[in-house]
Amino acid sequence: ATDLYCAVTCRITVDSQEDGVCAVPGKQFREIVSSLNPGSLELQFKEGTLKLSSGKTNTSLACPAHVDFPPFPQIEGEEFVLPIEHFEKIEQNILFSTSVDQARPVLTAVLFEFSADELKVVSTDGFRLSVLSLPNPTNYTDKSFLLPAKSLLEVLRIAMKLSVKEVRFKVSYELKQVFFSFQSVEIFVRLIDGSFPPYQKIIPSVFTTEVVFDSQEMLENLKRAAIFSREASNIVRLRIYSDKVEVYSSSPSFGTYTGIVNQVKVTTDAEMKEIAFNIKYLVEYLSATKSDQQWLGMSESLKPALLKPAGTIEYQHVIMPFKVNALLTL
């Protein structure tokens, strides 16, 4: 199957009377097969029609000409081998930050950037940025490419289904394709062509306020605050004091919410600092990282803030703050 961006081939064992080939409407074929009870399935193809028989169920599908099905390329290129744990961390920490806006395809992709010591995996949707640093077990350095997040998620789903321990893939920069191979499944993914934003310039390095807070306590407050922020562009304000963080949101129709996060450790140069975020970004980040303690660093209310699980250096998450009635992008 293929959508011209991602293609999958799979080999399965069958009892066949003769060789043959046909192309079938994918959506309808999947819906029919998934609706059947477990058991054997008999396929008969004749004069452009595929007949499916299982028990007392008989179905016919009109099939397009198989000669119109696009051929898959022969991939030759550099081979990379990464442990499946790398891809599990990428799914957890990176994929949620990608964009779904096809008008900017580069932002729908995940950047793989290999250096001598590490592999950096980066994603952004223009309002937030995730950077994950992983050990580089390959011999390749100074290599980078952009993989579509949607295809990468499909690769991981298949890899997990097949219980593989490592992911092998070849990259052809000439064909702009990546070729994954798992047991009986092969996956072809078209690389995204374009320049990824200069993410290094976006990551802040100077902080006048630092906060370590309890993830669960903050998440519970944010979920309550979300009820009141829906009519206000999903904006939530964090008011940072020397001994607490106040979570505030308001609604013209329902009123206001103020919650206190008490389990905090604050270092700041002011009596109170305030910063506003899209509450969705905070909730998604906290839900994804699953760390008991989080670290937040900021300088000014309209400059990017940095979040990361407390005590770790492998993962960084940058969120652009909001000014009321104003929108900032990367």
Side-chain angles (χ1 to χ4, degrees):
T2 180
D3 61 4
L4 301 182
Y5 295 95
C6 181
V8 182
T9 68
C10 179
R11 295 180 299 278
I12 61 174
T13 302
V14 299
D15 182 10
S16 178
Q17 295 180 356
E18 59 183 296
D19 295 341
V21 58
C22 67
V24 300
K27 179 181 179 181
Q28 290 78 6
F29 183 76
R30 183 191 65 203
E31 290 175 345
I32 290 171
V33 173
S34 62
S35 70
L36 297 174
N37 294 323
S40 62
L41 178 65
E42 183 177 305
L43 308 177
Q44 289 182 318
F45 181 66
K46 185 178 181 180
E47 297 178 353
T49 300
L50 180 68
K51 295 181 179 180
L52 299 91
S53 301
S54 179
K56 297 180 180 180
T57 302
N58 296 286
T59 308
S60 295
L61 270 178
C63 299
H66 69 82
V67 294
D68 295 330
F69 198 88
F72 291 170
Q74 294 294 321
I75 299 294
E76 295 294 336
E78 298 172 336
E79 184 175 61
F80 296 80
V81 182
L82 298 177
I84 188 64
E85 291 79 12
H86 277 21
F87 284 85
E88 291 172 343
K89 290 182 178 180
I90 291 169
E91 180 192 25
Q92 178 181 334
N93 298 301
I94 294 295
L95 294 186
F96 74 92
S97 296
T98 57
S99 174
V100 295
D101 183 6
Q102 295 298 326
R104 300 182 69 184
V106 167
L107 301 188
T108 68
V110 174
L111 173 67
F112 282 70
E113 192 173 64
F114 291 84
S115 64
D117 300 323
E118 62 183 1
L119 161 63
K120 282 189 181 294
V121 187
V122 190
S123 67
T124 180
D125 62 3
F127 303 98
R128 53 187 169 173
L129 170 76
S130 293
V131 182
L132 179 65
S133 299
L134 298 167
N136 177 13
T138 75
N139 295 323
Y140 297 109
T141 61
D142 301 323
K143 300 290 183 181
S144 64
F145 47 83
L146 292 169
L147 274 176
K150 180 181 176 182
S151 300
L152 189 58
L153 184 60
E154 191 67 19
V155 168
L156 179 63
R157 186 186 68 83
I158 293 173
M160 296 297 290
K161 185 82 171 178
L162 298 175
S163 300
V164 303
K165 297 186 181 299
E166 59 183 21
V167 178
R168 292 180 175 272
F169 58 97
K170 291 182 179 180
V171 179
S172 173
Y173 299 100
E174 181 181 356
L175 297 176
K176 300 187 185 305
Q177 294 266 0
V178 180
F179 172 65
F180 295 87
S181 180
F182 310 114
Q183 300 173 16
S184 61
V185 179
E186 297 175 346
I187 308 171
F188 302 81
V189 177
R190 186 183 298 276
L191 293 174
I192 297 294
D193 195 14
S195 298
F196 199 77
Y199 69 91
Q200 299 93 338
K201 297 180 180 179
I202 300 166
I203 302 174
S205 57
V206 177
F207 309 100
T208 57
T209 297
E210 299 180 39
V211 186
V212 177
F213 60 86
D214 182 82
S215 299
Q216 189 60 36
E217 189 180 7
M218 176 65 79
L219 188 57
E220 290 172 356
N221 273 282
L222 290 172
K223 288 180 177 179
R224 290 190 286 267
I227 300 171
F228 296 85
S229 67
R230 292 168 188 157
E231 293 184 346
S233 303
N234 289 318
I235 300 302
V236 64
R237 301 185 187 197
L238 301 184
R239 293 168 177 165
I240 302 170
Y241 299 86
S242 60
D243 59 347
K244 65 182 179 181
V245 175
E246 188 177 272
V247 180
Y248 174 83
S249 65
S250 63
S251 164
S253 302
F254 306 123
T256 62
Y257 172 81
T258 303
I260 303 298
V261 180
N262 288 307
Q263 299 182 60
V264 298
K265 181 180 179 182
V266 180
T267 304
T268 183
D269 64 349
E271 292 186 6
M272 190 272 284
K273 282 285 188 73
E274 182 175 271
I275 191 166
F277 296 111
N278 185 320
I279 198 168
K280 171 189 171 186
Y281 299 157
L282 289 174
V283 169
E284 288 187 349
Y285 165 77
L286 292 174
S287 300
T289 53
K290 303 183 187 305
S291 175
D292 293 337
Q293 297 283 317
Q294 297 286 344
W295 180 92
L296 165 69
M298 61 170 288
S299 55
E300 299 177 18
S301 61
L302 293 180
K303 289 188 176 181
L306 179 64
L307 286 144
K308 60 183 180 180
T312 184
I313 59 173
E314 74 167 10
Y315 182 57
Q316 296 176 306
H317 187 74
V318 179
I319 303 182
M320 298 299 293
F322 283 77
K323 183 178 182 180
V324 178
N325 299 325
L327 192 65
L328 298 179
T329 63
L330 295 177

